[in-house]
Amino acid sequence: MTGGAQGIGEAIVLGLRNAGARVFICDINPEVGNATAERHGVEFVPADVTDSASVEAAFEHVATAAGSIDVAVNNAGIAHNHASEELSDEDWRRVMSVNLDGVFYCCRAAGRRMLRQEAGSIINTGSMSGHIANRPQPQSAYNAAKAGVIHLTKSLAGEWAGRGVRVNCVSPGYVGTELTKRGMSNEEWRRAWIDGTPMSRVAEPREIAPAVVFLASEASSYCTGTDLVVDGGYTVW
């Protein structure tokens, strides 16, 4: 479980743990990651998803410790809200490196091991931003990366379906986490987000976790290439 130390990731960790899984949190921040792991009685493995060697080492550690990797949840992500004409190369690459490259590295590492055992479920965190362009905040890099995650998910699902590995993603709408706190403090943004959501509120992280648990379980055994949108209805308008 990458990006499992806080926010949506922490809620998913709890959901999987409560469903009976042995959970490993992979996060770049060992202090926060260890604290979350200890708090919930799970295990921590340091990993930088932008570094393919770090990803491979983390997945190898988990596979050795647990005997197999049956479920991989790729959730690590960041956001930048900058006007596109002012977006630096460095900021563009940072968003792509974490949100898209990192997801591919984790899918590849999980896929290599799952394909050998001819079984496994990979769940990526997409976003409704992979389907629409958010407003009023500018975030072209984030939107493009999440659209890439959704299509990467479908591409890998088609490639690996006949070899026992399912690949799906969950695309949340606005969720009350540290990632959205800055936006919610901006009254113009907050009002646009709430008014644009038919349910007239942001989600709580615990409301996203069951979608991941479903895709990790045999209850979704005929689902692959699925993008499960959990957005309070935002994308219907």
Side-chain angles (χ1 to χ4, degrees):
M1 171 79 210
T2 69
Q6 58 190 339
I8 294 173
E10 183 176 2
I12 294 169
V13 165
L14 280 170
L16 292 170
R17 186 206 66 181
N18 292 343
R22 179 179 176 183
V23 180
F24 293 79
I25 293 175
C26 294
D27 201 274
I28 195 171
N29 188 325
E31 184 178 348
V32 177
N34 271 308
T36 302
E38 288 180 16
R39 187 162 61 249
H40 300 307
V42 300
E43 298 166 71
F44 174 72
V45 181
D48 177 359
V49 299
T50 69
D51 180 342
S52 62
S54 176
V55 168
E56 279 292 329
F59 274 77
E60 185 58 26
H61 174 87
V62 172
T64 300
S68 66
I69 297 177
D70 305 305
V71 176
V73 183
N74 303 317
N75 176 71
I78 59 172
H80 279 295
N81 299 118
H82 295 297
S84 295
E85 70 273 17
E86 298 171 2
L87 189 66
S88 69
D89 292 356
E90 292 75 18
D91 284 339
W92 171 269
R93 275 286 358 126
R94 179 63 180 162
V95 172
M96 290 295 166
S97 184
V98 175
N99 293 8
L100 184 55
D101 297 352
V103 172
F104 172 72
Y105 295 155
C106 291
C107 284
R108 182 176 63 186
R112 285 170 172 164
R113 291 157 178 84
M114 292 176 177
L115 289 166
R116 287 198 293 266
Q117 65 197 26
E118 299 184 333
S121 175
I122 297 171
I123 303 104
N124 299 322
T125 299
S127 172
M128 69 176 185
S129 304
H131 295 275
I132 51 91
N134 301 66
R135 61 185 178 89
Q137 75 276 19
Q139 53 181 53
S140 61
Y142 182 86
N143 296 350
K146 290 300 185 179
V149 168
I150 293 167
H151 207 62
L152 173 65
T153 297
K154 293 177 182 294
S155 299
L156 296 177
E159 219 176 305
W160 295 342
R163 300 165 69 188
V165 178
R166 298 187 296 113
V167 189
N168 295 289
C169 64
V170 173
S171 286
Y174 292 114
V175 184
T177 66
E178 288 297 317
L179 202 62
T180 57
K181 185 176 289 185
R182 175 177 168 270
M184 290 296 286
S185 69
N186 180 315
E187 181 57 26
E188 179 192 3
W189 291 16
R190 188 192 71 82
R191 180 45 51 198
W193 295 0
I194 298 301
D195 288 349
T197 304
M199 293 184 74
S200 299
R201 64 177 179 86
V202 299
E204 296 180 31
R206 63 175 179 81
E207 295 179 289
I208 309 302
V212 176
V213 175
F214 166 69
L215 291 172
S217 76
E218 283 301 303
S220 62
S221 59
Y222 199 55
C223 294
T224 198
T226 296
D227 177 31
L228 183 49
V229 179
V230 187
D231 67 351
Y234 191 96
T235 54
V236 305
W237 284 344

